[in-house]
């Protein structure tokens, strides 16, 4: 069975770079059946931004890539914006911890403003480095993370969390942090989740699962909300570091063709979960293109 007409096929977390394949990678996604991307910002320069202007320029680049993808390929890309939490490691060295934290907070405020102006749909990636950092940096990271959650609450939008793999306790701790900031855990997405969570085990935090074949087969029967993502990096120097952008449409086609599964399962990650977490549905235009 082919993918049903009108079913969006959504990669919930990827990156594109003007120095990488960019729009060409999205052509591959579209050719495989993909329709919508959540496009997370990233540093596009070799050094981390050390001024608010440089963050504004970075966010501009992400939004320009999203427009380009829509205009040139007919794939809808939703920008997700925030200063990358790991920027704090280098910025603290270059500017001192206090100035680095001030800059990071200002960049989070900027991202929140762009969400409220409808230029982006979520705050992300925010959170914690996935490797050990000096205690002095950990303190700054925690303050920045609290601010990120507060900005998401004020901007009434989801927040996409970057961190090391989380245990069940780790998910619950994250849910607690969200509640402390006045944010419902159901609006907090743990991106790059690499093992299946038992229903109810996450304290309400929404997993965005890395679309490895075996993991997709494990999670696809579960009720939502949950997402699928490639975390495609669009870095020609690191081919194969993450999944290719064509992965999710290919997995979707395999599920639709499997008589034991079937295409109805795909409405959970591609439609219902978007609606529950973001409050709207990705729509498909009359010619099958994203709008
Ligand atoms: Zn990412």
């Amino acid at each position: 069975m082919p993918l049903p007409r009108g079913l969006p096929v959504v990669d919930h977390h990827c990156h594109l770079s003007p120095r990488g394949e960019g729009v060409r990678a999205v052509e591959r996604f579209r050719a495989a059946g993909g329709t919508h991307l959540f496009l997370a910002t990233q540093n596009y320069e070799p050094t981390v931004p050390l001024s608010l202007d440089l963050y504004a320029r970075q966010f501009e680049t992400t939004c320009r890539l999203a427009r380009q993808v829509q205009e040139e390929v007919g794939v809808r890309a939703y920008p997700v914006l925030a200063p990358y939490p790991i920027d704090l490691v280098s910025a603290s060295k270059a500017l001192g911890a206090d100035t680095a934290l001030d800059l990071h907070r200002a960049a989070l405020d900027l991202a929140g403003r762009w969400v409220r102006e409808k230029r982006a749909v979520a705050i992300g990636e925010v959170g914690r480095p996935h490797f050990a950092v000096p205690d002095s940096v950990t303190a700054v990271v925690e303050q920045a993370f609290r601010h990120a959650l507060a900005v998401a609450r004020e901007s009434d939008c989801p927040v996409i969390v970057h961190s090391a793999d989380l245990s069940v306790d780790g998910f619950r701790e994250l849910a607690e942090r969200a509640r402390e900031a006045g944010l419902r855990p159901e609006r907090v997405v743990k991106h790059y989740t690499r093992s299946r969570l038992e229903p109810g085990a996450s304290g309400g935090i929404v997993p965005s699962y890395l679309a490895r074949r075996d993991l997709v087969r494990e999670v696809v029967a579960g009720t939502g909300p949950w997402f699928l993502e490639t975390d495609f990096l669009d870095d020609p120097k690191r081919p194969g570091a993450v999944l290719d952008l064509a992965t999710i449409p290919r997995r979707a086609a395999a599920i639709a063709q499997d008589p034991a599964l079937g295409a109805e399962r795909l409405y959970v990650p591609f439609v219902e979960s978007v609606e529950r977490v973001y409050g709207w549905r990705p729509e498909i235009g009359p010619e099958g293109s994203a709008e």
Side-chain angles (χ1 to χ4, degrees):
M1 188 170 77
L3 288 169
R5 276 183 68 82
L7 173 73
V9 175
V10 182
D11 189 329
H12 183 261
H13 190 96
C14 69
H15 303 269
L16 293 174
S17 166
R19 298 173 204 277
E21 271 189 288
V23 171
R24 303 286 84 77
V26 183
E27 283 171 351
R28 214 162 51 237
F29 174 75
R30 161 102 186 163
T35 61
H36 296 69
L37 302 169
F38 285 75
L39 180 63
T41 191
Q42 66 176 84
N43 290 338
Y44 303 108
E45 304 300 326
T47 52
V48 306
L50 294 178
S51 73
L52 191 57
D53 266 358
L54 290 175
Y55 275 112
R57 205 180 294 173
Q58 177 187 315
F59 296 172
E60 254 340 320
T61 300
T62 311
C63 293
R64 182 166 41 75
L65 283 163
R67 280 193 303 275
Q68 221 183 329
V69 160
Q70 167 88 39
E71 282 159 17
E72 296 180 24
V73 196
V75 163
R76 182 69 189 267
Y78 303 114
V80 173
L81 301 177
Y84 195 45
I86 294 166
D87 290 357
L88 281 165
V89 178
S90 309
S92 294
K93 267 192 217 135
L95 304 171
D98 290 347
T99 308
L101 180 57
D102 284 347
L103 170 61
H104 207 84
R105 283 197 185 116
L108 284 165
D109 291 340
L110 183 67
R113 189 154 79 234
W114 284 35
V115 167
R116 294 192 297 277
E117 291 171 359
K118 308 266 186 262
R119 298 161 84 179
V121 299
I123 300 290
E125 313 166 29
V126 301
R128 297 158 170 151
H130 52 279
F131 49 86
V133 297
D135 288 350
S136 56
V137 177
T138 301
V140 174
V141 160
E142 289 303 315
Q143 290 185 66
F145 187 29
R146 267 202 297 279
H147 191 69
L149 295 170
V151 168
R153 186 204 59 224
E154 282 160 21
S155 308
D156 192 21
C157 71
V159 62
I160 313 305
V161 173
H162 171 106
S163 73
D165 293 333
L166 295 179
S167 62
V168 166
D169 285 348
F171 274 97
R172 297 227 166 104
E173 187 268 346
L174 186 54
E176 197 46 48
R177 285 289 86 70
R179 270 192 294 272
E180 277 169 17
L183 192 65
R184 285 185 298 120
E186 290 73 15
R187 299 211 95 183
V188 179
V189 179
K190 166 63 178 85
H191 117 80
Y192 206 76
T193 299
R194 295 195 289 178
S195 55
R196 187 178 84 93
L197 277 164
E198 294 296 333
S202 70
I205 303 291
V206 178
S208 182
Y209 289 115
L210 192 65
R212 289 184 181 146
R213 187 179 287 110
D214 48 347
L215 183 57
V216 172
R217 291 194 68 89
E218 247 183 278
V219 302
V220 74
T223 52
W226 53 269
F227 298 107
L228 292 176
E229 65 170 62
T230 56
D231 199 19
F232 180 68
L233 283 181
D234 197 13
D235 182 348
K237 289 198 289 299
R238 296 177 64 196
V242 285
L243 299 174
D244 186 69
L245 204 54
T247 304
I248 286 175
R250 287 191 189 134
R251 299 279 186 267
I255 288 161
Q257 278 154 19
D258 186 331
L261 298 170
E264 319 76 63
R265 313 257 178 173
L266 299 168
Y267 285 90
V268 171
F270 297 158
V271 180
E272 290 165 24
S273 298
V274 180
E275 186 160 44
R276 278 169 71 180
V277 174
Y278 290 81
W280 40 263
R281 288 172 167 235
E283 300 292 345
I284 298 285
E287 278 92 52
S289 67
E291 45 179 38

